[in-house]
Amino acid sequence: MTDEALAVTQSLVEDFAERYLESLGGTIEKRGDTWEVTIPDNEDTELPAGSLSLLCGADRDEDATEESLHPESEFFQRILREATERHPTGKLSIEADRDDAEIPQWIKEGDVEVREAQFTPYYDRTAIVVLFEVSIETVSEYQQELLRAIAIDHRSEQRLPALEETFLQMTSIPTNGSPTTTESSLSGSDARSLLGTAQDQLMQSIQNKIDEVHNEASRAADAEVEEYRQLQQQRIQELEEERSKLSSKIDELSETINGSNQDDRVEALKKRKEAKAEYEEVDAELSALQELRDQGFPQKQEEIRKRHALDIRVTPLTVTQVEYERGEIDVELAEQGVSRTVTLGYGSGIGTTETVQCSSCDSVLSVENPLNTIKGSIRCRSCSSSNN
């Protein structure tokens, strides 16, 4: 998993809701997208005891009587908050199988046989994994929510992305059935310090997503500004035409005044006065709009762009202390009668902590450029291919 994020999908919501409701002693009878839920009297929840109908998914009629169950539904947010309030902190131990260590992908994808891999732990390490709920919303975009785990080593305060993936695979959203129920032994000051580091790392890790949504929102704002500009330009043209007609009307009335008798002159004077007043009103509106147009409609632009600004909410749901082991892994490799043992730094739940370079070209071995041979030296596939 390259992006250690767990999108709040419908299937995840349903899985969490089922596990959480059952942890309260509730029963669920599923009938397609409708769940008939019975909740017993339980002091651990504020959900009312009795029967409840849940409709899975966002497609809900306005006159439907069922509660909605989807990522943005009030019911899901309610039970999620309740679950995390019950177990905001915890402790989890990850122990590696000494004889079943995780083989690096650059070896798995290569052409060399792995005979044996053995992990030797040297010391225990502590990390915290903070599970954040991230909400990114603009007026022009649907609200996007995801759960993201950030793992920070207690001693070095370095981020451990591989441990984040391990944690998400092991725990998903926390409930009574999750393994994070042991009390954490970290001090309050340590936890707060690491929480701050985790939040900083979180914001860095989601910056690309923020930029993506920001760019989409900016395009939507630009489109709305352009639409408003076109409407105002249309209004300017209408006012220019109206002003031109009024000017012609005033000229005609002036001619009438000069060539009419007393009674007609009085009536023409009255009409010309009214036309001049209307002309001044139209001219003032036109001048004001033209000035705003020349300035780029700054107030309206500010109003539109403010509505399209991002609303980012980051909420730490759980803080889990993770105990893991660090040491070395010995990987015995074999190729056509040649054997070689590669020793790498390794940690339970985080895998290898060191990279290996090709002895020929110094490139770091990877999934894209895996190990090809150990004959004579460790060489990558790119070097071996070019030498053939």
Side-chain angles (χ1 to χ4, degrees):
M1 186 166 66
T2 57
D3 180 12
E4 293 76 27
L6 194 60
V8 185
T9 62
Q10 182 64 30
S11 60
L12 179 62
V13 168
E14 292 177 18
D15 177 64
F16 166 71
E18 182 174 5
R19 289 186 290 114
Y20 184 70
L21 292 171
E22 288 178 348
S23 76
L24 299 174
T27 59
I28 302 173
E29 183 180 348
K30 299 180 181 180
R31 299 173 183 169
D33 291 335
T34 302
W35 293 5
E36 299 297 336
V37 181
T38 302
I39 302 174
D41 286 324
N42 191 323
E43 63 181 13
D44 291 331
T45 181
E46 295 182 2
L47 295 174
S51 299
L52 172 68
S53 292
L54 292 176
L55 181 62
C56 299
D59 297 331
R60 178 176 180 268
D61 296 333
E62 291 184 2
D63 55 352
T65 57
E66 301 95 340
E67 285 265 17
S68 292
L69 179 61
H70 58 83
E72 297 178 18
S73 66
E74 183 180 347
F75 184 81
F76 172 65
Q77 298 297 326
R78 179 179 181 182
I79 61 175
L80 179 61
R81 284 194 301 270
E82 188 173 277
T84 54
E85 285 171 0
R86 292 169 67 184
H87 297 293
T89 62
K91 187 174 181 179
L92 175 67
S93 294
I94 301 177
E95 297 181 358
D97 189 330
R98 304 292 185 265
D99 300 317
D100 190 26
E102 181 182 349
I103 307 299
Q105 288 295 320
W106 57 265
I107 295 179
K108 283 185 179 180
E109 298 294 330
D111 305 314
V112 177
E113 176 191 356
V114 177
R115 283 186 174 173
E116 184 182 17
Q118 187 165 14
F119 172 51
T120 304
Y122 294 148
Y123 50 88
D124 294 331
R125 292 291 287 264
T126 299
I128 69 159
V129 181
V130 185
L131 186 61
F132 290 97
E133 181 182 38
V134 182
S135 173
I136 305 174
E137 184 178 10
T138 73
V139 70
S140 58
E141 293 292 323
Y142 289 112
Q143 180 171 328
Q144 300 186 38
E145 292 186 342
L146 54 87
L147 299 178
R148 183 175 290 253
I150 298 293
I152 302 294
D153 184 82
H154 182 206
R155 182 181 302 174
S156 66
E157 294 197 0
Q158 290 182 338
R159 186 181 171 194
L160 304 171
L163 186 60
E164 298 162 5
E165 181 175 344
T166 301
F167 177 82
L168 288 175
Q169 290 173 342
M170 294 178 65
T171 62
S172 188
I173 304 177
T175 67
N176 275 5
S178 299
T180 56
T181 55
T182 307
E183 287 296 322
S184 170
S185 59
L186 286 175
S187 68
S189 59
D190 282 350
R192 283 190 294 273
S193 173
L194 293 173
L195 180 61
T197 303
Q199 186 148 336
D200 291 342
Q201 291 288 336
L202 169 71
M203 297 308 295
Q204 291 180 29
S205 70
I206 65 174
Q207 190 59 52
N208 287 341
K209 184 64 176 177
I210 292 173
D211 292 343
E212 177 186 326
V213 178
H214 179 264
N215 290 337
E216 292 175 358
S218 294
R219 286 192 291 270
D222 289 343
E224 188 173 339
V225 168
E226 177 59 21
E227 182 182 0
Y228 180 80
R229 189 198 66 77
Q230 291 178 5
L231 287 172
Q232 297 310 303
Q233 183 59 37
Q234 181 180 341
R235 177 58 179 162
I236 286 172
Q237 292 173 354
E238 292 172 354
L239 289 170
E240 286 175 340
E241 292 174 4
E242 188 175 352
R243 185 179 66 173
S244 178
K245 290 178 182 178
L246 286 169
S247 179
S248 297
K249 183 178 180 181
I250 292 170
D251 291 342
E252 291 173 1
L253 288 170
S254 295
E255 292 178 4
T256 300
I257 292 169
N258 294 332
S260 301
N261 57 37
Q262 183 65 28
D263 292 338
D264 291 340
R265 188 181 297 113
V266 171
E267 182 64 23
L269 283 168
K270 180 180 178 182
K271 289 182 178 179
R272 188 176 69 172
K273 182 179 180 181
E274 292 173 353
K276 283 185 175 181
E278 191 174 351
Y279 178 94
E280 290 174 359
E281 183 178 335
V282 170
D283 186 63
E285 182 181 351
L286 177 60
S287 298
L289 274 178
Q290 288 172 331
E291 183 179 356
L292 288 173
R293 178 195 59 189
D294 295 341
Q295 295 173 354
F297 303 105
Q299 185 173 350
K300 190 64 178 181
Q301 278 216 49
E302 182 181 357
E303 176 190 324
I304 291 172
R305 298 194 185 283
K306 186 175 181 180
R307 286 194 292 103
H308 286 270
L310 268 60
D311 179 14
I312 303 171
R313 295 187 296 277
V314 176
T315 306
L317 298 177
T318 63
V319 179
T320 304
Q321 178 180 338
V322 179
E323 302 291 337
Y324 68 103
E325 299 172 312
R326 278 212 173 185
E328 291 182 333
I329 180 177
D330 295 313
V331 184
E332 185 180 347
L333 305 173
E335 181 189 11
Q336 298 177 354
V338 177
S339 64
R340 181 185 295 271
T341 299
V342 177
T343 301
L344 303 167
Y346 188 88
S348 56
I350 63 174
T352 54
T353 58
E354 297 178 39
T355 58
V356 174
Q357 293 176 302
C358 172
S359 60
S360 179
C361 68
D362 291 333
S363 296
V364 174
L365 297 175
S366 63
V367 175
E368 294 75 21
N369 185 30
L371 175 67
N372 185 73
T373 184
I374 57 171
K375 293 179 180 178
S377 60
I378 292 177
R379 284 189 293 164
C380 67
R381 185 173 292 172
S382 297
C383 281
S384 299
S385 299
S386 62
N387 291 334
N388 290 337

